[in-house]
């Protein structure tokens, strides 16, 4: 029951807090001593229980008349910090289970397949548990005012809303409990099933480097800057699409009861096509895969906005968007180890910066998520979006079309232009691999 502006403030402040914690956690990980569990795994093990508790409290409604905004802001920031303590070492594990480019690419493909599968699972769990008790839509006040018994109607709505709201709160907490249980289960499987190879680990520098020295080295590496710039805009495009597709299906297309299935179609399509993109990048190269995979969404995004409401066309667009989402998930992450190899060749005496590379990558992933949510919330609020309304003003429908079609297409084109500047092609990768082998 928070207003959209307060929700936007929580999201923006939370992402600003992320801007501080992501690189800091990456730096602290790079200075962590080796233990019998490894260097990365202790961060994952010890952050998990506290992350689950803070996640549950995000979905809990405190019985306080004032201070709810502060409650959600505090626990949102705590949760983001703890997720950083999990996700940065988890992502960096790719570099410390093998030195072979092909094995790391394969590990990245498996990792991203399961990450997307986890998103599908989370969408399904949250959607099915919460979707069954979502309060009914509210007719326009003008319509209610025309009835002869408007006072009685209002009292009836208030009574129904109170009970319905309680059910919805309980449903969100049940969903949070189930997802928290999955979080713990997956962390246990990870900690028991994966071992860091000490000979592959180069986290600890022979000569300690300060945080700002390490940061300066990493951010001055041109290939890294070009990669994260392209990654930033393409990620923002797909997150805007995913974040607003439910509202677009409900109001603009009129498929109120279908949007969960359509969103599931997007994520299942992404999960199933990640192995295809892994084969494609091995066969034709990563830069070619980026251009083909991410740009393939553009004609379908235009189609869904231009054509009249059609359920079959919407499902076709959902599947096509999922294929591009798979490319957007997999390819930037599979390119990051190549950037780190390139950095090692240019700075052979400087070690231990892998976690900083990954921490900024994780930051940009979460940053784009926050920016997309913030843009969407403020745009819809400005357009006159009516919470739980059975219908929306024409300005809202136009805004939704922009958020799922025109804006993502523009961001994709900008991201692909930046990827054009990315200097590591297949020939460069082979040369770097040979040079690193000679160096070792």
């Amino acid at each position: 029951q928070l207003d959209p502006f307060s929700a936007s403030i929580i999201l923006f402040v939370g992402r600003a807090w992320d801007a501080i914690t992501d690189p800091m956690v990456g730096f602290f990980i790079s200075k962590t001593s080796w233990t019998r569990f490894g260097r990365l795994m202790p961060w994952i093990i010890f952050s998990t229980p506290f992350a689950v508790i803070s996640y549950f409290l995000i979905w809990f409604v405190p019985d306080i008349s004032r201070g709810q905004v502060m409650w959600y802001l505090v626990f949102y920031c705590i949760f983001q910090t703890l997720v950083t303590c999990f996700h940065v070492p988890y992502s960096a594990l790719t570099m410390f289970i093998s030195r072979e480019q092909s094995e790391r690419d394969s590990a990245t493909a498996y990792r991203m397949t399961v990450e997307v599968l986890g998103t599908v699972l989370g969408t399904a769990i949250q959607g099915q548990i919460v979707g069954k008790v979502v309060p009914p839509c509210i007719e326009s006040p003008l319509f209610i005012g025309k009835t002869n018994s408007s006072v009685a109607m209002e009292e009836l709505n208030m009574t129904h809303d109170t009970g319905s709201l309680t059910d919805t709160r309980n449903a969100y907490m049940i969903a949070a409990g189930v997802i928290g249980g999955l979080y713990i289960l997956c962390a246990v499987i990870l900690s028991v099933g994966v071992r860091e190879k000490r000979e592959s680990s180069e986290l600890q520098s022979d000569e300690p480097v300060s945080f700002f020295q390490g940061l300066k080295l990493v951010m001055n590496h041109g290939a890294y800057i070009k990669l994260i710039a392209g990654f930033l805009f393409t990620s923002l495009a797909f997150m805007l699409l995913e974040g607003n597709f439910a509202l677009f299906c409900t109001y603009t297309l009129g498929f109120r009861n279908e949007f969960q299935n359509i969103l599931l179609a997007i994520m299942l399509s992404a999960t199933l096509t990640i192995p295809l993109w892994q084969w494609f990048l091995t066969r034709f190269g990563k830069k070619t895969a980026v251009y083909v995979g991410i740009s393939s969404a553009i004609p379908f995004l235009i189609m869904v906005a231009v054509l009249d409401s059609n359920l079959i066309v919407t499902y076709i667009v959902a599947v096509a968007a999922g294929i591009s989402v798979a490319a957007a998930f997999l390819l930037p992450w599979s390119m990051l180890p190549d950037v780190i190899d390139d950095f090692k060749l240019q700075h052979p005496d400087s070690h231990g910066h892998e976690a900083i590379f990954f921490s900024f990558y994780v930051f940009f992933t979460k940053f784009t998520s926050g920016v997309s949510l913030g843009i969407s919330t403020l745009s819809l609020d400005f357009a006159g979006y009516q919470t739980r309304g059975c219908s929306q003003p024409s300005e809202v429908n136009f805004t939704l079309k922009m958020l799922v079609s025109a804006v993502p297409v523009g961001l994709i084109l900008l991201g692909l232009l930046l990827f054009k500047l990315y200097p590591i092609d297949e020939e460069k990768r082979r040369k770097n691999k040979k040079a690193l082998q000679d160096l070792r």
Side-chain angles (χ1 to χ4, degrees):
Q1 298 294 292
L2 293 180
D3 62 89
F5 180 75
S6 297
S8 299
I9 293 295
I10 292 170
L11 288 168
F12 279 124
V13 172
R15 300 303 167 172
W17 176 248
D18 248 355
I20 300 170
T21 58
D22 277 309
M24 289 298 291
V25 167
F27 176 74
F28 289 134
I29 290 171
S30 71
K31 297 303 174 187
T32 301
S33 300
W34 183 271
T35 69
R36 66 191 183 94
F37 300 107
R39 283 199 181 104
L40 303 174
M41 205 59 73
W43 286 82
I44 292 170
I45 294 169
F46 290 115
S47 67
T48 293
F50 300 106
V52 170
I53 293 169
S54 61
Y55 178 75
F56 183 81
L57 291 173
I58 288 174
W59 298 103
F60 177 76
V61 181
D63 189 18
I64 50 177
S65 57
R66 293 182 180 180
Q68 280 195 336
V69 172
M70 188 56 63
W71 170 283
Y72 292 116
L73 179 59
V74 167
F75 285 110
Y76 184 66
C77 290
I78 291 172
F79 177 68
Q80 290 298 332
T81 303
L82 292 165
V83 166
T84 297
C85 293
F86 185 104
H87 202 192
V88 169
Y90 168 67
S91 304
L93 270 172
T94 308
M95 296 297 295
F96 304 112
I97 54 178
S98 176
R99 281 178 169 174
E100 286 297 318
Q101 286 182 355
S102 59
E103 289 181 354
R104 290 189 317 219
D105 288 346
S106 178
T108 300
Y110 277 104
R111 178 169 73 84
M112 296 316 298
T113 300
V114 177
E115 279 200 28
V116 178
L117 189 61
T119 308
V120 171
L121 198 59
T123 302
I125 290 169
Q126 188 96 345
Q128 293 305 315
I129 294 175
V130 176
K132 291 178 180 177
V133 294
V134 168
C137 65
I138 300 171
E139 292 289 352
S140 168
L142 293 173
F143 174 80
I144 294 173
K146 290 176 183 176
T147 63
N148 295 327
S149 55
S150 59
V151 176
M153 177 78 77
E154 190 174 341
E155 289 177 357
L156 182 66
N157 281 344
M158 286 177 66
T159 306
H160 184 274
D161 284 355
T162 303
S164 185
L165 197 60
T166 303
D167 291 340
T168 306
R169 287 174 176 175
N170 293 336
Y172 274 114
M173 285 192 285
I174 292 168
V178 174
I179 291 173
L182 278 173
Y183 192 127
I184 293 171
L185 175 64
C186 294
V188 169
I189 292 171
L190 177 67
S191 58
V192 171
V194 178
R195 287 285 174 269
E196 295 170 57
K197 292 182 180 178
R198 190 160 191 170
E199 63 273 15
S200 295
S201 178
E202 297 174 355
L203 274 171
Q204 195 72 19
S205 175
D206 297 328
E207 295 181 10
V209 177
S210 73
F211 171 76
F212 290 106
Q213 285 176 315
L215 184 62
K216 185 178 178 182
L217 274 174
V218 167
M219 298 311 288
N220 281 339
H221 190 58
Y224 183 65
I225 296 300
K226 288 163 186 169
L227 182 62
I228 58 175
F231 181 46
L232 175 69
F233 287 105
T234 53
S235 296
L236 183 56
F238 286 107
M239 285 180 182
L240 276 173
L241 171 64
E242 286 181 45
N244 292 285
F245 209 69
L247 292 176
F248 180 71
C249 290
T250 301
Y251 295 113
T252 307
L253 300 181
F255 303 136
R256 177 176 292 277
N257 298 321
E258 289 287 336
F259 76 84
Q260 291 179 11
N261 297 327
I262 294 169
L263 189 60
L264 211 55
I266 293 175
M267 301 316 295
L268 281 173
S269 171
T271 306
L272 295 172
T273 50
I274 281 180
L276 169 68
W277 289 118
Q278 174 63 18
W279 169 83
F280 191 96
L281 68 86
T282 306
R283 179 73 176 79
F284 299 102
K286 295 180 182 179
K287 286 189 74 170
T288 304
V290 166
Y291 300 138
V292 174
I294 296 177
S295 64
S296 63
I298 292 176
F300 294 98
L301 292 177
I302 295 171
M303 186 190 302
V304 77
V306 171
L307 296 181
D308 292 333
S309 176
N310 185 300
L311 188 58
I312 295 173
V313 171
T314 304
Y315 271 106
I316 293 171
V317 170
V319 172
I323 294 171
S324 292
V325 166
F329 264 95
L330 171 66
L331 291 163
W333 283 105
S334 69
M335 294 160 88
L336 180 57
D338 301 335
V339 171
I340 297 173
D341 285 345
D342 189 62
F343 178 84
K344 286 178 180 176
L345 283 174
Q346 293 186 26
H347 305 88
D349 298 325
S350 183
H351 305 293
H353 303 305
E354 292 86 352
I356 297 178
F357 275 104
F358 276 93
S359 66
F360 269 97
Y361 231 47
V362 172
F363 160 67
F364 277 110
T365 306
K366 291 188 286 186
F367 175 76
T368 51
S369 173
V371 169
S372 69
L373 287 167
I375 289 172
S376 304
T377 307
L378 290 175
S379 300
L380 292 171
D381 191 36
F382 181 75
Y385 176 77
Q386 297 174 2
T387 304
R388 287 175 52 199
C390 291
S391 61
Q392 298 293 341
S394 58
E395 292 85 357
V396 171
N397 289 326
F398 176 77
T399 302
L400 285 169
K401 277 191 176 185
M402 292 295 102
L403 290 173
V404 303
S405 180
V407 177
V409 167
L411 290 169
I412 287 171
L413 292 173
L414 183 56
L416 291 176
L417 183 65
L418 290 167
F419 273 123
K420 187 77 176 171
L421 303 174
Y422 176 69
I424 303 176
D425 54 16
E426 291 307 297
E427 184 181 353
K428 178 79 169 173
R429 280 185 72 205
R430 285 191 290 272
K431 287 180 179 178
N432 285 353
K433 181 180 178 181
K434 178 71 168 59
L436 276 175
Q437 287 173 343
D438 294 342
L439 196 63
R440 284 166 184 151

